[in-house]
């Protein structure tokens, strides 16, 4: 029998993708599953973006490109960072990968060694800890509190820092909570980090999806002095409904970007040529789809938050951004279904899938077992029916 490498034992499959796969398998059996698991917009990619890809194909732009992305796309990213975030970068300080996750993976590979620690505020995106582990470092989970909007405080951050701390993740708006940091909150965190040799990895992938007039601020924008020790991560997946196109990017000090590009040269080489041309159009073309999507997401957010809060035993904060809610379901623990006790977010998620045909993701996957995550990147009809199914299933527990 072929033996697997030891690194395969320290990671686990993405729980969100696993939930989606199981829901799809049940649908194939004829069950009508309402899926709240997938973290991708249900909107189509804008027509102008698709046309740019078609034009690239027809013009023969189907060969290898530079490993770190074509200059045209790098320039589009530089323009976006300047216009939206007041951040200035050169081409040598930007590289493009096969999605934001890939960018983070490459950055971790070139920054982290055995013995390094990386601070990961919880609830966290499921891939952060495993990406750190695959780089040989140790994820240090920093628990946040629902009462403070699931946001790490300066005191939380300061207490978690040790001589081994190499980096910290800041994800705003957040997956899974939708919480977003204000400029003042980011400035306060920056004060803790400025005099430390700690790399700040700012994951801004949900930057454009914010509600109720909330003003997105990048931690580097909030504190420009942090730029030499920061990596900004972003991509086109969420804002432009381009999840399958797999284009993400990172901006940071040139020596880090150069090393990450070399790392990428030995894995995927360049991101897909056609998708790069599409991403150029996404960044430089008509931005109207964003406002349209955000308004639809806002309506869905308002409905799902209201619906969840109306179910006895469930409470749910209203998020500032992204397209997730992270309701507290711990009051349901101890209740039973046919003699089987619901004792965790995993138990409740299994119950909802088996008995209500509703797929949610257990909060334990994100580092907080008192909660479950629901994505409202689905139709209002699905949300309405899904919430009603959850309500009936919860009321059926004894």
């Amino acid at each position: 029998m072929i033996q697997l490498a030891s690194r395969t034992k320290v990671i686990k499959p993405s729980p969100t993708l696993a939930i989606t796969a199981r829901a799809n398998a049940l649908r194939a059996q004829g069950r009508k599953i309402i899926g709240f698991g997938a973290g991708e917009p249900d909107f189509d990619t804008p027509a102008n973006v698709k046309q740019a890809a078609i034009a690239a194909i027809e013009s023969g732009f189907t060969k290898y490109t530079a490993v770190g992305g074509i200059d045209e796309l790098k320039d589009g990213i530089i323009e976006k960072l300047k216009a939206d975030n007041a951040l200035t970068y050169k081409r040598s300080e930007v590289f493009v990968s096969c999605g934001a996750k890939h960018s983070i993976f490459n950055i971790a590979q070139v920054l982290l060694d055995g013995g390094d620690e990386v601070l990961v505020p919880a609830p966290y995106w499921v891939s952060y800890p495993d990406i750190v582990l695959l780089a040989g470092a140790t994820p240090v989970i920093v628990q946040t509190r629902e009462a403070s909007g699931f946001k790490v405080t300066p005191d939380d951050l300061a207490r978690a820092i040790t001589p081994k701390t190499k980096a910290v993740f800041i994800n705003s708006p957040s997956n899974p909570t939708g919480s977003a940091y204000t400029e003042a909150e980011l400035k306060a965190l920056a004060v803790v980090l400025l005099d430390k040799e700690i790399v700040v990895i700012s994951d801004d992938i949900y930057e454009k999806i914010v509600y109720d007039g909330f003003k997105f601020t990048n931690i580097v924008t909030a504190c420009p002095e942090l730029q030499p020790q920061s990596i900004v991560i972003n991509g086109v997946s969420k804002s432009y409904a381009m999840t399958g196109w797999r284009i993400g990017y990172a901006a940071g000090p040139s020596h880090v970007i150069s090393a990450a590009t070399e790392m990428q040269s030995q894995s995927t080489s360049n991101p897909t040529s056609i998708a790069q041309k599409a991403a150029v159009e996404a960044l430089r073309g008509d931005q109207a789809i964003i406002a349209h999507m955000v308004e639809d997401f806002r309506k869905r957010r308002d409905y799902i938050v209201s619906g969840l809060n109306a179910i006895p035993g469930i409470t749910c904060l209203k998020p500032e951004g992204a397209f997730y809610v992270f309701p507290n379901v711990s009051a349901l623990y101890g209740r039973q279904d046919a003699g089987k006790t619901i004792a965790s977010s995993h138990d409740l998620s299994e119950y909802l899938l088996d008995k209500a045909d509703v797929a949610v993701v257990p909060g334990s996957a994100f580092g907080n077992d008192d909660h479950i995550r629901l994505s409202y990147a689905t139709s209002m009809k699905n949300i309405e029916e899904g919430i009603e199914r959850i309500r009936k299933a919860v009321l059926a527990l004894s």
Side-chain angles (χ1 to χ4, degrees):
M1 180 179 177
I2 297 175
Q3 297 298 311
L4 298 177
S6 59
R7 73 178 64 88
T8 64
K9 298 178 176 63
V10 303
I11 61 170
K12 54 189 178 299
S14 167
T16 51
L17 296 180
I19 288 288
T20 300
R22 187 174 174 204
N24 289 337
L26 291 174
R27 287 191 188 99
Q29 297 173 15
R31 289 171 60 177
K32 186 182 177 184
I33 305 296
I34 302 287
F36 291 119
E40 64 176 345
D42 56 316
F43 299 91
D44 193 13
T45 301
N48 61 310
V49 174
K50 292 191 287 186
Q51 286 302 316
I54 292 169
I57 293 171
E58 291 179 340
S59 68
F61 194 75
T62 56
K63 309 298 184 183
Y64 293 129
T65 73
V67 170
I70 58 176
D71 285 346
E72 185 182 11
L73 179 51
K74 286 188 176 184
D75 290 345
I77 291 165
I78 290 166
E79 292 162 10
K80 177 258 175 269
L81 291 168
K82 183 67 174 178
D84 292 349
N85 311 112
L87 298 175
T88 301
Y89 292 97
K90 301 188 292 287
R91 285 179 181 172
S92 61
E93 296 172 318
V94 175
F95 82 107
V96 185
S97 298
C98 305
K101 179 188 288 189
H102 189 211
S103 296
I104 295 170
F105 181 90
N106 288 329
I107 291 295
Q109 288 292 312
V110 301
L111 287 182
L112 304 177
D113 281 315
D116 288 339
E117 295 178 350
V118 178
L119 305 185
V120 183
Y124 47 74
W125 178 46
V126 295
S127 291
Y128 291 151
D130 285 342
I131 287 174
V132 171
L133 288 167
L134 281 171
T138 301
V140 175
I141 308 305
V142 183
Q143 287 294 339
T144 64
R145 292 163 294 282
E146 188 173 5
S148 59
F150 298 113
K151 289 181 275 191
V152 67
T153 68
D155 287 344
D156 294 332
L157 195 59
R159 282 194 297 268
I161 292 172
T162 75
K164 296 181 179 180
T165 304
K166 182 66 177 287
V168 58
F169 282 103
I170 301 293
N171 179 210
S172 174
S174 159
N175 176 5
T177 67
S179 295
Y181 291 87
T182 65
E183 183 176 5
E185 290 167 337
L186 291 170
K187 285 182 176 179
L189 294 179
V191 169
V192 178
L193 296 165
L194 261 178
D195 62 344
K196 312 285 195 309
E197 292 186 3
I198 296 174
V199 180
V200 181
I201 303 174
S202 181
D203 184 351
D204 301 348
I205 194 68
Y206 296 98
E207 166 189 7
K208 300 285 189 181
I209 306 173
V210 291
Y211 312 110
D212 305 327
F214 184 90
K215 183 180 181 298
F216 169 83
T217 306
N218 178 290
I219 190 169
V220 188
T221 305
C223 180
E225 294 84 357
L226 270 182
Q227 187 163 341
Q229 68 189 79
S230 298
I231 310 293
V232 174
I233 304 289
N234 212 321
V236 298
S237 293
K238 313 297 183 179
S239 298
Y240 301 96
M242 293 176 67
T243 50
W245 298 77
R246 307 314 303 134
I247 294 292
Y249 57 85
S254 59
H255 70 288
V256 178
I257 298 304
S258 176
T261 303
E262 289 180 13
M263 179 67 63
Q264 183 164 292
S265 75
Q266 298 299 343
S267 57
T268 62
S269 297
N270 62 275
T272 301
S273 59
I274 300 153
Q276 289 188 66
K277 283 288 190 177
V280 171
E281 177 61 24
L283 292 173
R284 288 179 164 172
D286 187 358
Q287 304 294 298
I289 184 179
I290 297 175
H292 170 70
M293 283 200 307
V294 169
E295 177 58 18
D296 266 21
F297 281 143
R298 183 197 62 77
K299 292 175 183 176
R300 300 176 194 180
R301 178 206 60 170
D302 291 350
Y303 185 92
I304 200 169
V305 169
S306 175
L308 287 167
N309 279 318
I311 300 173
I314 297 180
T315 59
C316 184
L317 294 182
K318 181 180 284 189
E320 293 91 355
F323 39 69
Y324 310 103
V325 286
F326 202 59
N328 190 319
V329 293
S330 60
L332 302 177
Y333 298 169
R335 299 188 188 182
Q336 294 189 330
D337 167 54
K340 183 178 179 181
T341 301
I342 303 293
S344 66
S345 61
H346 180 270
D347 290 346
L348 183 63
S349 298
E350 288 288 312
Y351 170 72
L352 292 175
L353 187 55
D354 292 338
K355 298 299 175 70
D357 285 347
V358 173
V360 302
V361 186
S364 55
F366 307 97
N368 191 319
D369 195 40
D370 286 346
H371 298 254
I372 57 175
R373 192 197 77 173
L374 291 80
S375 166
Y376 49 91
T378 186
S379 69
M380 184 65 85
K381 179 181 178 182
N382 282 343
I383 293 170
E384 291 170 352
E385 185 173 348
I387 293 300
E388 179 59 17
R389 290 186 189 184
I390 292 172
R391 186 187 70 82
K392 289 179 178 178
V394 167
L395 292 177
L397 291 170
S398 58

